[in-house]
Amino acid sequence: MTTQEVADTLVKLCSAGKLDEAMRTLYSPDIVSMEAGAPPGQSRESKGLEACLAKGQWWVANHEVHSSKVEGPLVACSHFAVAFKFDVTFKPQDKRFVMEEVAVYKVAGGKIVYEEFFYNM
Amino acid sequence: MTTQEVADTLVKLCSAGKLDEAMRTLYSPDIVSMEAGAPPGQSRESKGLEACLAKGQWWVANHEVHSSKVEGPLVACSHFAVAFKFDVTFKPQDKRFVMEEVAVYKVAGGKIVYEEFFYNM
């Protein structure tokens, strides 16, 4: 797949709430995922598909999604950007908030090999 | 200015080739600018408006721009993304190439305080 095709597929699957399928279909086994920040003692960086799937599954299990919007992609050669906007409740604290972030992805060999999320901590 | 207003102004000025004006108008004096890579012995990171202006002026002086396109912005709270596509000749080597990159910007206090560029080295 081209970067454009990977980007369009990611947006389509994430818009349908199919985060797990997006990762299994589009991510390289060696994906590196970088958050804007990390909890104390943990890393910003997750390495490998299994770690990303686990991070995604934790997110899905701990948030009730009231509405979501995926904007983009903006494609530039090997990279693309997407904006995510979620109105969610963090279930462990019953706390509702709006979460907006820019995500940048790098594609190589038809797979996503790097992702980085930008948001305020 | 809101993030959306900063983003729209940056796209408008860059589309008009007014990179210098975009920086002088929109960048914080303490801007941090991060390239995808650096020449040997140099840093990926530039700090401060003067360093960014100098980097921009070097780019303008050394490239003949045949065409350019600025796509976006994608805005998410404090951050936004833009895609740049340039068909340029690097004048010192008379070498024509297409350069595409994703740029992510962080806005605080109505100014751009951080920018990072994503492209293949």
Side-chain angles (χ1 to χ4, degrees):
Chain A
M1 283 200 281
T2 64
T3 306
Q4 183 75 53
E5 289 166 342
V6 170
D8 289 340
T9 306
L10 183 96
V11 168
K12 190 176 128 196
L13 290 172
C14 288
S15 296
K18 297 178 176 174
L19 176 61
D20 204 83
E21 184 181 339
M23 290 182 180
R24 291 184 193 277
T25 311
L26 302 172
Y27 281 27
S28 158
D30 302 319
I31 173 84
V32 172
S33 175
M34 189 73 81
E35 293 290 332
Q42 294 185 40
S43 173
R44 290 174 58 205
E45 189 176 285
S46 303
K47 283 187 180 175
L49 181 56
E50 289 307 318
C52 286
L53 287 168
K55 188 165 67 160
Q57 284 155 4
W58 176 87
W59 197 90
V60 168
N62 283 279
H63 294 82
E64 181 187 353
V65 181
H66 306 292
S67 68
S68 67
K69 197 158 63 168
V70 186
E71 295 172 354
L74 286 179
V75 178
C77 193
S78 53
H79 290 77
F80 68 94
V82 171
F84 291 103
K85 299 176 180 183
F86 297 102
D87 174 8
V88 293
T89 293
F90 182 56
K91 292 196 273 188
Q93 298 176 356
D94 197 24
K95 189 178 161 191
R96 185 167 177 167
F97 63 103
V98 171
M99 187 185 144
E100 298 194 354
E101 61 188 8
V102 168
V104 176
Y105 300 88
K106 178 180 180 178
V107 176
K111 294 285 182 181
I112 294 172
V113 296
Y114 181 78
E115 64 177 1
E116 184 166 351
F117 299 99
F118 294 86
Y119 48 85
N120 266 359
M121 298 300 297
Chain B
M1 283 200 281
T2 64
T3 306
Q4 183 75 54
E5 288 165 343
V6 170
D8 289 340
T9 306
L10 183 95
V11 168
K12 189 177 129 197
L13 289 172
C14 288
S15 297
K18 297 179 176 174
L19 176 61
D20 204 83
E21 184 180 340
M23 290 184 180
R24 290 183 193 279
T25 312
L26 303 172
Y27 280 29
S28 158
D30 301 320
I31 173 81
V32 172
S33 175
M34 189 74 79
E35 293 290 332
Q42 293 186 42
S43 173
R44 290 175 56 206
E45 190 176 286
S46 302
K47 283 186 179 175
L49 181 56
E50 289 307 317
C52 286
L53 287 169
K55 189 164 66 161
Q57 284 155 4
W58 175 88
W59 197 90
V60 168
N62 283 278
H63 293 81
E64 181 187 351
V65 181
H66 306 291
S67 70
S68 67
K69 198 157 63 166
V70 186
E71 295 173 353
L74 285 179
V75 177
C77 193
S78 52
H79 290 77
F80 69 93
V82 172
F84 291 102
K85 299 175 181 183
F86 298 102
D87 174 8
V88 293
T89 294
F90 182 56
K91 292 195 274 189
Q93 297 175 356
D94 196 24
K95 187 178 161 190
R96 185 167 178 166
F97 64 102
V98 171
M99 187 186 145
E100 299 194 354
E101 61 188 8
V102 167
V104 176
Y105 300 87
K106 179 180 180 178
V107 176
K111 294 284 182 182
I112 294 172
V113 296
Y114 182 79
E115 64 178 1
E116 184 166 350
F117 299 99
F118 294 86
Y119 49 85
N120 266 0
M121 298 300 295

